[in-house]
Structure formats: structure tokens, C-alpha cells
Amino acid sequence: MADNRFFSTLLRVEEVDSTNRYLLEEAHRLPDRTVLIARRQTKGRGRRGREWETEPGALTFSVLFRALPPHRLTTLPLLAGLCGAEGIARLTDCSPRLKWPNDLLVMGKKAGGILCESRSGTDGTLSAVCGMGINLTADAEWFADRKLPQATSLLAEGYPMEGDALLAGIEEAFARRYESFLQEGFASFAPEYRTFCDTVGQPIFILDGTSSRREGTALGISEDGGLICRIGDREEVLHSGEVSVRPRDICSDF
Ligand code: BTN
């Protein structure tokens, strides 16, 4: 029988500022594939420098990768997205989807976010962390109060789920996929990623960290996990560290 284990060490805390921050800073004294699970974060980090508020029942964790080759860094977020979606799909028939590169969507709304970060140690080794926050229990009012109308939780969509069961499903997906990801990169999971990805075919806004936002249409996912877009009369491949995209029918910056 296949071994579903991927995490080497499980740490649980009631509260931490950010599970990503903690694992990155403590990487030098923790084993590869340590997972840190927190009930609350006081300074959760989101993509593009934003804060991430943890809903009270969320599954909030980060995984430490101490032996990731640097050339696999750019596609780790996509692998994590796929593992998150597969973990959810294993427990319910809610058909989770991915907004490129790795937002977890349930019934068209954002139910989870993923942030991968890395840092080089003084000895030149690279540590990466992959943090996921998956909303499990908050109701529509909780998101409305925070002006997040495009966010949701699994329970709010009618899919109650235990955090530990979901974590086990995500761990199983990492265990199944990680070795071939190390060998072959994005190619090892591209077909499944494309099946889960909702962004292709959609009109999008492209946000690149400046105040400008460009309009385009997502055409496909490239061989290296980039988003192939038509922008005006040109085609461009966007990479996840550089930009963020929004479906054009959604105005809010969720
Ligand atoms: C996003 O903006 O969509 C990404 C959100 C990522 C949140 C998770 S929660 C666990 C981990 N620790 C953090 O500080 N952030 C990530």
C-alpha cells in the first residue's frame, strides 16, 4: 500500500503571528517537511504583501521545504494549489477549482489561499515554506463584515469538513506527487493542474504591483506553469511571482 505520509514533524500551536514567518525563521533547526498548524494567526500573511485574517475555524498551516532545488521554487505554489484542491475533492463532491496560480475556489468563491515564500540561509541553503489557509466554518456574514463578498468557507457552501481530515488529504496528495515534481517539475502534474484550473478562457485583470491594471484574456497554461494571456494584440506568459489576476466580472481585489 502506498505511504500517505509526507510531513516529518507535526507542530501544533494555539496562536502564532504567521506560520510562514515562524517556519522560515526557525528553518535552520527544524527537519525538512515540518508542518506547523495554528488555531489562530495574529499577523497572517497574504499574497502581494496583504494581511490574511484567519477565520475562527480555518485550517491554517505551513510546510517547510529545506531541500527544494531553487529551480523548483516557481512551480511549488502550483503544486500546492493542486494538492489543496485534491485534498478537498477527496472529502466532498464540491468540485473545488483553482484560480491561477493557486487560489482555492468552491462554488466560484475563494475558500482558501496559498502563500509560498523562501529565504537563503547564511550557509547558502534555500528554505521554502508553503502556507495554506482554508476557510472551513465562517458564514457569509463573517466575510461580508470584512468586505470579502467573494470569499466563502466550505461549511457556508454546504460542505462541512474537519481540518485534520483535510490536512491528511493534502498530505496524501503531496506524498503522491512530490518525488516526481522534484524530478520533472510542472510537467509531472500539468494535466491535473489544467483540469482543476478555472482561469483559462476567462477575461481577466492583470495586477503587477503598480497602480495600473491591464485587461487580457487567459488562453492557457504554459509548459512551465505560466498563464498564457492575450493582452491587446500580443500574447504574454505571466508568472505567478510577478502578477496576480482577477476575473473581469469581479471588481473587488479579493
Ligand atoms: C492569499 O493571499 O491568498 C494567500 C493567503 C495565505 C494564508 C496562509 S495561512 C497559513 C500561512 N501563514 C501565513 O502567514 N500565510 C499563509
Side-chain angles (χ1 to χ4, degrees):
M1 203 164 72
D3 188 354
N4 290 344
R5 290 284 168 85
F6 181 75
F7 306 138
S8 63
T9 309
L10 214 78
L11 305 175
R12 276 182 200 272
V13 293
E14 274 299 305
E15 187 174 287
V16 68
D17 53 353
S18 154
T19 54
N20 271 22
R21 200 273 317 148
Y22 182 91
L23 285 189
L24 271 184
E25 280 183 19
E26 302 299 326
H28 59 280
R29 59 172 194 86
L30 293 171
D32 184 32
R33 304 186 188 186
T34 295
V35 61
L36 172 63
I37 306 151
R39 200 180 288 279
R40 286 184 302 281
Q41 291 188 122
T42 53
K43 229 175 175 180
R45 299 177 180 175
R47 291 187 68 218
R48 304 176 69 239
R50 285 180 297 192
E51 263 193 39
W52 177 265
E53 189 176 354
T54 308
E55 63 99 341
L59 172 63
T60 302
F61 70 96
S62 300
V63 190
L64 172 66
F65 298 88
R66 288 193 62 181
L68 189 76
H71 63 283
R72 295 289 178 241
L73 259 183
T74 52
T75 45
L76 181 66
L78 287 88
L79 176 73
L82 177 61
C83 292
E86 287 185 331
I88 295 173
R90 207 168 104 126
L91 295 181
T92 72
D93 58 359
C94 72
S95 304
R97 308 284 290 154
L98 286 168
K99 182 170 81 69
W100 181 90
N102 56 14
D103 281 348
L104 292 162
L105 306 182
V106 171
M107 311 304 278
K109 292 185 166 185
K110 180 163 170 171
I114 297 174
L115 177 68
C116 296
E117 298 181 272
S118 63
R119 137 187 301 206
S120 303
T122 44
D123 57 357
T125 56
L126 179 84
S127 296
V129 295
C130 184
M132 293 196 201
I134 304 180
N135 303 326
L136 297 183
T137 62
D139 59 17
E141 201 182 330
W142 193 91
F143 295 106
D145 286 348
R146 285 154 186 83
K147 307 210 168 5
L148 296 169
Q150 292 304 325
T152 192
S153 74
L154 270 300
L155 184 63
E157 299 305 325
Y159 300 98
M161 200 175 279
E162 287 293 324
D164 281 351
L166 177 55
L167 185 65
I170 296 171
E171 178 178 19
E172 183 279 325
F174 270 113
R176 185 163 34 84
R177 298 197 171 280
Y178 193 67
E179 285 311 318
S180 44
F181 166 66
L182 287 181
Q183 300 303 318
E184 299 157 43
F186 182 66
S188 68
F189 63 93
E192 295 90 338
Y193 181 88
R194 289 188 175 106
T195 305
F196 273 100
C197 185
D198 217 23
T199 312
V200 173
Q202 288 205 31
I204 51 169
F205 284 126
I206 300 150
L207 312 171
D208 61 6
T210 67
S211 55
S212 69
R213 70 179 183 187
R214 296 184 294 161
E215 287 185 17
T217 303
L219 302 177
I221 305 294
S222 69
E223 293 303 303
D224 63 354
L227 186 68
I228 307 167
C229 295
R230 180 176 307 288
I231 303 169
D233 55 5
R234 285 183 313 114
E235 264 185 33
E236 231 178 83
V237 181
L238 309 175
H239 288 98
S240 65
E242 302 154 9
V243 294
S244 189
V245 300
R246 302 280 177 279
R248 252 195 273 155
D249 57 351
I250 293 171
C251 297
S252 67
D253 190 24
F254 76 94

